[in-house]
Amino acid sequence: MSSAEQPVVLTCAQPTGQLHLGNYFGAVRNWTSFLDSHECYFGIVDQHAITMPYVPAELRQSCYKTLALYIACGLEPEKCNLFLQSHVIGHTELAWILGCLCPLGQLERMTQYKDKSARADEGVFIGSGLLYYPVLMAADILLYNADVVPVGEDQRQHVELTRDLAIKFNATYSDTFKVPSLNIPKHAARIKSLQDPTRKMSKSDPNQGGVLYLLDEPNIIRKKIKSAVTDSGSEVRADDEKPGITNLLHIMSASTGRSIEELEAAFAGSQYGAFKEAVAESVVDLLTPIQERYKAISEDKKYLEGVMKAGADAAQKRAYKVLSKVSRKAGFVERPR
Ligand code: TRP
């Protein structure tokens, strides 16, 4: 475990039970870069997962799977605290207090809320938890008084709300929260769908052939990359007019650490077919050790529960301090001992 003087990193993600290459390059691999220099808290936000219709038994399974995947991707439990949000008392409690400071209109204007609640038209039930989602996320962040909160571009508005709420709390009561700065990695490879390279690779893509999952078998990876859409012409070159080939170049570059220029030079004169085979092998080489580690731990519930417990204990220790301070400032009577 990291020593107390190190800066604190906190980030969270939903328990999807599946990760694709875009999640890996855009998020999880980036998180591993903090392990040796920061005290790290990585949360699996199961309480956020119930803001849309879901199946309880699947949620539970997904939490185990997501945890095993994170460990397999290199988030070693010896170097970071991996925890489930619902195991730490304080997230929902702080969300309540922050919610009482948060103007209703600001929540109604959040783009994710507007997008997701539009599904009411399809008959999807929309509960108030969805409206409250960003307040719970603000609580996740502020409860740890973290120095760094790495998130993707799609979370910008949520982190801005978190900053507003931290400032509002500090002004209303007294200085309590560090106002988190936005930490959106600019250089993170933006991986697109193999079938529509103008769109982000996404788990909810109706065309699943465009999505490379970390647990896809090598032959599935090869098949998906072989069927990836390419562009007219025959040159292997990164270019706005060649989104398909550009995406494959980014995937291979992120998988191997070789630069785009280096790859363009290496495949000058190659056919698309040969290039695609090389891309596929680079992805298979990257994923094989991750899949092996996953296989070794994913069925070991005892081990995973031990990791969850250690993570939750450490997270709780830090969260408790902030929660007690906040409760006192909010005017709650200290719990009699
Ligand atoms: N909303 C984030 C997402 O969908 C997940 C999340 C919840 C989060 N709480 C957080 C991310 C706290 C960073 C910090 O990706």
Side-chain angles (χ1 to χ4, degrees):
M1 196 66 49
S2 313
S3 73
E5 306 86 62
Q6 289 181 320
V8 172
V9 172
L10 171 282
T11 193
C12 305
Q14 293 220 25
T16 56
Q18 289 253 44
L19 292 177
H20 57 63
L21 218 51
N23 303 136
Y24 180 69
F25 293 137
V28 185
R29 189 165 74 168
N30 177 39
W31 304 348
T32 63
S33 68
F34 293 104
L35 293 182
D36 291 324
S37 51
H38 289 68
E39 185 179 330
C40 298
Y41 294 87
F42 300 121
I44 297 176
V45 289
D46 48 1
Q47 291 166 328
H48 278 101
I50 69 170
T51 55
M52 288 300 273
Y54 73 106
V55 179
E58 285 173 10
L59 172 62
R60 195 172 292 119
Q61 268 312 104
S62 296
C63 286
Y64 283 99
K65 280 193 193 161
T66 304
L67 177 65
L69 265 170
Y70 283 165
I71 298 169
C73 286
L75 296 178
E76 294 163 39
E78 295 73 28
K79 294 189 174 178
C80 61
N81 303 299
L82 295 159
F83 67 92
L84 299 188
Q85 183 185 34
S86 67
H87 286 177
V88 179
I89 297 170
H91 290 255
T92 51
E93 284 75 2
L94 180 56
W96 182 256
I97 296 171
L98 294 175
C100 293
L101 289 175
C102 183
L104 180 57
Q106 197 171 359
L107 295 182
E108 287 167 337
R109 284 193 299 274
M110 299 298 279
T111 47
Q112 179 181 289
Y113 174 69
K114 288 198 280 186
D115 292 348
K116 290 197 180 173
S117 58
R119 295 191 54 202
D121 301 342
E122 305 161 28
V124 176
F125 172 75
I126 303 300
S128 327
L130 188 66
L131 181 70
Y132 224 68
Y133 181 114
V135 181
L136 181 56
M137 175 160 164
D140 298 337
I141 296 173
L142 298 179
L143 194 57
Y144 295 88
N145 255 333
D147 298 288
V148 190
V149 185
V151 291
E153 179 58 40
D154 61 333
Q155 298 300 311
R156 176 185 291 276
Q157 201 182 27
H158 288 154
V159 178
E160 277 163 3
L161 177 80
T162 305
R163 291 170 53 87
D164 290 349
L165 291 175
I167 292 168
K168 183 104 180 256
F169 187 98
N170 290 348
T172 306
Y173 300 103
S174 64
D175 212 18
T176 306
F177 294 121
K178 277 185 198 159
V179 179
S181 54
L182 214 54
N183 182 284
I184 297 173
K186 287 247 159 12
H187 52 274
R190 273 180 300 259
I191 303 300
K192 311 288 178 144
S193 160
L194 298 175
Q195 290 299 320
D196 178 359
T198 62
R199 296 166 54 153
K200 230 171 57 163
M201 186 172 283
S202 157
K203 182 179 83 104
S204 52
D205 196 327
N207 190 341
Q208 288 288 302
V211 192
L212 291 170
Y213 289 102
L214 301 193
L215 297 180
D216 277 347
E217 307 248 328
N219 278 334
I220 302 286
I221 303 269
R222 293 187 182 104
K223 214 160 106 190
K224 286 180 177 174
I225 293 179
K226 198 171 173 189
S227 326
V229 300
T230 46
D231 316 286
S232 56
S234 59
E235 244 180 301
V236 176
R237 184 163 48 81
D239 190 319
D240 287 349
E241 311 214 314
K242 297 168 89 61
I245 292 296
T246 303
N247 187 34
L248 292 173
L249 278 166
H250 279 289
I251 289 173
M252 184 161 180
S253 171
S255 299
T256 58
R258 297 168 72 185
S259 70
I260 300 285
E261 296 74 33
E262 195 183 332
L263 295 175
E264 284 173 334
F267 290 96
S270 290
Q271 303 290 313
Y272 282 170
F275 168 59
K276 281 174 156 182
E277 270 170 36
V279 175
E281 290 323 303
S282 75
V283 175
V284 169
D285 286 348
L286 172 79
L287 296 185
T288 301
I290 293 177
Q291 296 183 353
E292 281 168 2
R293 280 196 294 270
Y294 180 82
K295 252 184 228 134
I297 58 172
S298 61
E299 299 301 323
D300 192 344
K301 270 197 153 177
K302 270 235 168 66
Y303 167 73
L304 294 174
E305 283 164 1
V307 171
M308 284 175 194
K309 169 148 174 40
D313 287 348
Q316 186 68 76
K317 203 166 151 212
R318 189 168 176 92
Y320 184 73
K321 288 191 192 132
V322 176
L323 186 67
S324 322
K325 203 163 145 190
V326 165
S327 301
R328 188 162 25 84
K329 295 197 185 196
F332 297 152
V333 174
E334 203 183 330
R335 177 179 300 202
R337 286 191 251 209

